Amino acid sequence: MPGLTRRQVLSLTGRLLSLGTISSVFASKIVWAQTNDAAIDVRHLAMLIHDLYPHDEMGDPFYTKLAQLVKPRLEGSEGAYAEFVAQLDARTGGVWQSLDPSKRSEILADLADQPFFAKLRDTVRQVVYVQPEVWALIGYGGNALAQGGYINRGFNDIDWLEETR
Amino acid sequence: MSETRFSLDDDSVAVVIGSGAGGGTLSNQLASQGINVVCLEAGRRLTPTDIVNDEAAMFPKITWLDEVIGEGDARPDFPIWVCKTVGGTTMHWTAAAPRLQAHELRARSTYGAIEGTSLADWPIELKELEPYYARAEALMGVTGTNGIPMLPGSNNFKVLEAGGRKIGYKDIDTNTMAINPVPRDGRGGCLQLGFCTSGCATQAKWCTLYTEIRDAEKTAHFELRPESMATRILHEGDRVTAVQYMDVEGKLREQKARFVCVAANAPGTARLLLNSKSERFPEGLANSSGQVGRNYMRHMLAAVVAIMPGEVHLYKGPQVAGVIRDETRHDPKRGFSGGFQMHIVGLSPGSLADLMLQGKWGREFTDVLGQYKNFASVMIMGEDMPTAENRITLHPERKDQYGMPVPVVRYVNHPNNRVMLQYGRDVCRRLYQSLGATQLFDLYDVFPATHNMGTARMGEDPTLSVTNPWGQTHDIPNLFVSDGSLFPTVGCENPTITIVSLVLRQAEYIQQQMQRGSI
Ligand SMILES: Cc1cc2nc3c(=O)[nH]c(=O)nc-3n(C[C@H](O)[C@H](O)[C@H](O)COP(=O)(O)OP(=O)(O)OC[C@H]3O[C@@H](n4cnc5c(N)ncnc54)[C@H](O)[C@@H]3O)c2cc1C
Ligand code: SF4
């Protein structure tokens, strides 16, 4: 299906995101175009990514890796990012980073209807769910050809249907 | 690859535009009868090793990403999902190959007049198509025909089947699929990879790149020109004479032609005809009826994802090999016209992350996707109504890299679709609930159109249709339409085997016409 990979391509070709996020992309360009100089702190971004897509089994190194992959996709939006982070801090007296995750999410939820939040949420999602580590966690087999196909690897091994009869 | 080359001013050749289901099949049919064919294909030619089990890598390699604008209910940025590669969208397709039903070819007579539609009967009956369906099934290697066994059922299928039987459905199997269960036709057997939409690495799935094009190239009568984008069809009086195209190097060329067959997938075909307007045909080539681009149909398409009480691993096995046909009948008691299929659909986590929980994040998101192994999923694919206003037009200003006007796809759901969707969604929910599904998700209005049809409909009356019952345009006898554009209505079956059948029939007709000297 198109979803994720399609959008990756779209952003590659500079046409950016889909549907609901189109207006937000334009809006972000207009508002933040001038304040484009702040660099994105990977540690901070990793934390945001964790809160957007919290998988308890995945450790910090994984979220750091994700942040490194997401960062280049936010190129051009550094200003917007900085502004977003500033708002998180403003709401927590500058200690957002040191709060515990559930508290952080609450603050994040307050900003969820901001255009940049949508961009961040979608950009990150397109990265998270194509990572082999996540696939392994949620039980997706990935490259089947490399394993000789699923023909001898459980494509029809379902064993619980009997119980539903 | 073959060595055969034809010169640009050889006006004895047939020019086929597009190398997908329609164009690839027609090219092979003509070439194997000794007719010289030049096939112009906008996309690149891939080699077998280019096909890998990686959605993200394959998508940009095969998908049509040139600008197309959607309006109405069509996704604005990505209204249609088609391929730009040798083999066309048969590279992407999931290979379900069911025949249309008799009453679906008589939609206007069966359903009556439905407000807001341009419903019509087909100019041919199922009886006339049957022999060609039979040939298409042999050609494409369709399971359950010609001694080819059915595919074994995957877990996702077994869930559909069990739930379906529980709620009273009977017509259920792994579907007639153009996928080899065992090696055939010099191609491998299906390894249950589940990456059908990324291109089939075993070649078990029928794709014209390594079937029809391969066979055409064994004759001395076929030249494929990849990365050649047809931009205009030229004519003198009421005969087409040549096709203008942009070649690999970005140079505009003109290939002379005895006759021309357009198989650029319905939106592409309408676009090319509209762009070939002239003094004689100010509204577009062969468009004296005004019907070119109109009556654009896709299918009513939605999916239901269920979280089941046990593991399913819905990604294993051919993505759509499993169907319930009980609802494909026409039964106005259900509150809508036409019917729908329910077929399994295997989707990757990446796709589901994007399609299933739009706008969600945090625990609400990960708690659901975390249960991916227990997902089962079914697609509802229903008959779509033709309307005059659902149509392909050319953007007045925007041009693509070939200097061609960007196509605009306008599509609005007919109210019939909404009633059918509700009904279909409810039965799918009941089906999974009967097996103890714990959560259910609806996916609708998220899919771009994978089936595109109707934009140059065939018929007897030249004022109401673009072509005659053989796909020959009413206005220009040596211009043919050879794809799903021809469909006056679409039934609820996947279109490709019908495209192939129509093209097999057209190839015979073309030969007769050539023998008679009329083209
Ligand atoms: C994900 C997916 C799943 C599908 N699954 C099924 C299924 O299970 N069953 C089914 O029946 N159908 C399925 N389909 C639909 C099927 O792929 C199409 O019906 C079929 O390929 C249409 O054949 P065609 O010849 O009209 O067009 P295509 O196969 O799309 O071929 C058209 C070709 O024309 C080329 N072209 C376009 N414009 C020009 C131009 N101006 N000059 C030169 N070349 C041009 C394109 O690059 C393309 O290669 C699916 C489609 C998708 C996207
Ligand atoms: S599941 Fe079968 S048809 Fe589909 S890609 Fe794999 S081998 Fe090919």
Side-chain angles (χ1 to χ4, degrees):
Chain A
M1 294 282 125
L4 181 141
T5 44
R6 151 100 190 139
R7 296 215 189 113
Q8 287 178 332
V9 171
L10 280 185
S11 36
L12 283 176
T13 56
R15 280 169 55 201
L16 286 168
L17 302 176
S18 75
L19 287 171
T21 47
I22 285 177
S23 53
S24 62
V25 171
F26 287 126
S28 66
K29 274 198 185 125
I30 297 159
V31 179
W32 291 296
Q34 304 94 328
T35 53
N36 199 0
D37 45 2
I40 292 177
D41 171 25
V42 167
R43 254 195 56 227
H44 193 278
L45 179 57
M47 216 173 250
L48 269 172
I49 294 176
H50 171 272
D51 296 349
L52 283 170
Y53 299 101
H55 285 286
D56 295 337
E57 301 81 351
M58 311 304 292
D60 289 345
F62 176 66
Y63 282 101
T64 305
K65 171 190 158 178
L66 288 176
Q68 275 151 356
L69 292 170
V70 169
K71 189 172 166 178
R73 290 163 178 257
L74 292 175
E75 232 172 72
S77 301
E78 288 85 353
Y81 183 86
E83 199 150 304
F84 187 76
V85 170
Q87 292 188 59
L88 290 174
D89 281 339
R91 276 161 203 254
T92 53
V95 297
W96 185 80
Q97 283 196 66
S98 49
L99 299 175
D100 72 74
S102 68
K103 190 77 196 138
R104 288 202 310 255
S105 298
E106 270 174 41
I107 312 287
L108 208 48
D110 284 346
L111 300 182
D113 47 11
Q114 296 206 355
F116 184 74
F117 178 87
K119 182 191 163 89
L120 191 65
R121 179 196 66 208
D122 293 346
T123 308
V124 170
R125 190 188 60 236
Q126 290 154 25
V127 174
V128 177
Y129 292 97
V130 295
Q131 301 308 318
E133 295 94 325
V134 173
W135 290 351
L137 173 71
I138 68 177
Y140 172 62
N143 187 334
L145 192 60
Q147 312 164 39
Y150 292 119
I151 190 157
N152 298 316
R153 295 174 59 89
F155 80 98
N156 60 355
D157 65 355
I158 197 161
D159 59 3
W160 53 266
L161 272 174
E162 278 307 312
E163 297 154 29
T164 67
R165 293 234 160 99
Chain B
M1 259 171 266
S2 88
E3 299 297 310
T4 310
R5 295 287 177 270
F6 299 106
S7 85
L8 290 173
D9 49 57
D10 183 344
D11 62 5
S12 73
V13 301
V15 174
V16 174
I17 299 165
S19 65
T25 305
L26 185 65
S27 292
N28 185 30
Q29 291 299 309
L30 296 176
S32 55
Q33 298 303 321
I35 300 166
N36 291 339
V37 176
V38 171
C39 178
L40 301 175
E41 166 54 56
R44 275 197 313 134
R45 181 181 194 136
L46 299 184
T47 60
T49 51
D50 288 322
I51 297 172
V52 292
N53 274 193
D54 181 346
E55 281 188 348
M58 289 313 291
F59 196 81
K61 271 195 221 175
I62 60 182
T63 312
W64 187 283
L65 294 168
D66 300 352
E67 186 173 5
V68 181
I69 297 169
E71 288 182 357
D73 296 336
R75 282 179 55 152
D77 61 333
F78 194 52
I80 57 170
W81 187 4
V82 296
C83 287
K84 185 181 184 183
T85 184
V86 175
T89 318
T90 63
M91 187 61 101
H92 237 328
W93 82 316
T94 46
R99 297 182 180 194
L100 286 168
Q101 306 169 75
H103 74 267
E104 290 171 325
L105 275 67
R106 306 183 65 251
R108 175 64 181 79
S109 307
T110 312
Y111 310 158
I114 298 179
E115 205 185 318
T117 71
S118 47
L119 265 182
D121 287 347
W122 285 48
I124 47 178
E125 297 209 2
L126 182 61
K127 269 203 314 286
E128 291 173 69
L129 260 187
E130 274 167 351
Y132 300 97
Y133 271 133
R135 278 179 56 200
E137 284 159 355
L139 188 87
M140 300 165 83
V142 175
T143 57
T145 75
N146 297 284
I148 301 165
M150 299 296 279
L151 284 159
S154 65
N155 292 342
N156 199 20
F157 167 71
K158 288 182 177 180
V159 174
L160 182 82
E161 184 183 32
R165 297 211 186 278
K166 262 200 150 169
I167 64 168
Y169 290 136
K170 304 213 157 56
D171 192 359
I172 311 174
D173 57 45
T174 54
N175 211 354
T176 47
M177 304 291 300
I179 292 179
N180 290 345
V182 289
R184 179 181 186 271
D185 180 38
R187 300 181 282 119
C190 176
L191 294 179
Q192 305 280 330
L193 301 175
F195 279 85
C196 311
T197 55
S198 295
C200 180
T202 66
Q203 305 191 346
K205 178 184 85 169
W206 184 80
C207 166
T208 54
L209 169 63
Y210 46 73
T211 59
E212 309 312 304
I213 304 282
R214 169 200 69 188
D215 293 348
E217 288 185 329
K218 287 182 192 153
T219 72
H221 303 287
F222 179 70
E223 180 189 347
L224 175 77
R225 293 192 198 145
E227 293 175 77
S228 299
M229 174 77 174
T231 50
R232 275 175 74 80
I233 302 170
L234 309 176
H235 73 98
E236 281 166 22
D238 60 4
R239 289 185 66 81
V240 293
T241 52
V243 178
Q244 188 187 65
Y245 69 98
M246 191 172 276
D247 74 4
V248 192
E249 284 144 23
K251 290 208 182 74
L252 271 185
R253 307 267 184 204
E254 252 177 62
Q255 173 64 53
K256 291 224 162 73
R258 178 167 174 181
F259 61 95
V260 173
C261 304
V262 194
N265 205 322
T269 292
R271 177 193 195 197
L272 185 57
L273 295 179
L274 292 173
N275 196 46
S276 304
K277 64 174 184 246
S278 64
E279 218 166 278
R280 170 95 193 261
F281 295 103
E283 300 303 321
L285 196 61
N287 193 19
S288 64
S289 65
Q291 295 299 311
V292 171
R294 291 192 186 269
N295 312 308
Y296 167 66
M297 289 165 284
R298 35 193 223 186
H299 273 119
M300 192 281 288
L301 203 63
V304 172
V305 177
I307 305 186
M308 302 309 294
E311 294 187 12
V312 180
H313 296 270
L314 85 175
Y315 57 89
K316 297 184 180 182
Q319 287 168 274
V320 308
V323 69
I324 298 179
R325 299 187 193 85
D326 294 69
E327 302 281 4
T328 62
R329 69 193 191 281
H330 171 63
D331 175 4
K333 284 201 292 294
R334 292 175 302 184
F336 53 87
S337 294
F340 61 92
Q341 297 185 70
M342 299 153 75
H343 67 69
I344 58 165
V345 60
L347 296 166
S348 67
S351 299
L352 282 172
D354 265 18
L355 295 173
M356 193 175 144
L357 297 160
Q358 291 192 348
K360 302 273 195 295
W361 59 281
R363 297 274 167 205
E364 195 186 358
F365 188 99
T366 51
D367 284 350
V368 172
L369 254 243
Q371 300 178 69
Y372 177 74
K373 9 177 179 345
N374 289 24
F375 286 8
S377 182
V378 62
M379 199 154 227
I380 314 165
M381 214 190 84
E383 173 148 15
D384 196 9
M385 295 289 143
T387 77
E389 292 314 313
N390 281 348
R391 62 189 293 207
I392 312 297
T393 54
L394 302 180
H395 194 278
E397 285 114 36
R398 295 190 71 83
K399 300 255 161 76
D400 69 7
Q401 68 270 39
Y402 307 101
M404 252 183 118
V406 166
V408 180
V409 177
R410 175 162 187 80
Y411 177 85
V412 175
N413 278 292
H414 187 272
N416 194 64
N417 287 4
R418 291 308 188 190
V419 185
M420 187 193 285
L421 173 69
Q422 278 303 323
Y423 179 99
R425 195 196 76 141
D426 290 350
V427 294
C428 291
R429 287 179 155 249
R430 270 206 291 134
L431 184 154
Y432 287 129
Q433 276 162 345
S434 79
L435 302 172
T438 54
Q439 264 181 290
L440 293 149
F441 300 86
D442 300 325
L443 281 63
Y444 56 86
D445 294 340
V446 294
F447 299 104
T450 56
H451 303 162
N452 296 282
M453 301 145 297
T455 52
R457 53 164 49 173
M458 57 179 175
E460 300 285 359
D461 183 344
T463 64
L464 297 173
S465 57
V466 179
T467 82
N468 72 10
W470 290 272
Q472 180 179 35
T473 63
H474 292 300
D475 293 344
I476 302 179
N478 68 337
L479 175 63
F480 293 82
V481 173
S482 314
D483 62 18
S485 312
L486 295 171
F487 293 18
T489 60
V490 297
C492 66
E493 283 76 17
N494 321 54
T496 308
I497 192 162
T498 304
I499 295 174
V500 171
S501 303
L502 287 175
V503 158
L504 293 176
R505 184 167 170 273
Q506 180 179 70
E508 278 181 9
Y509 177 81
I510 288 175
Q511 269 175 283
Q512 289 160 9
Q513 297 287 303
M514 287 177 78
Q515 274 154 15
R516 284 195 204 133
S518 33
I519 51 175

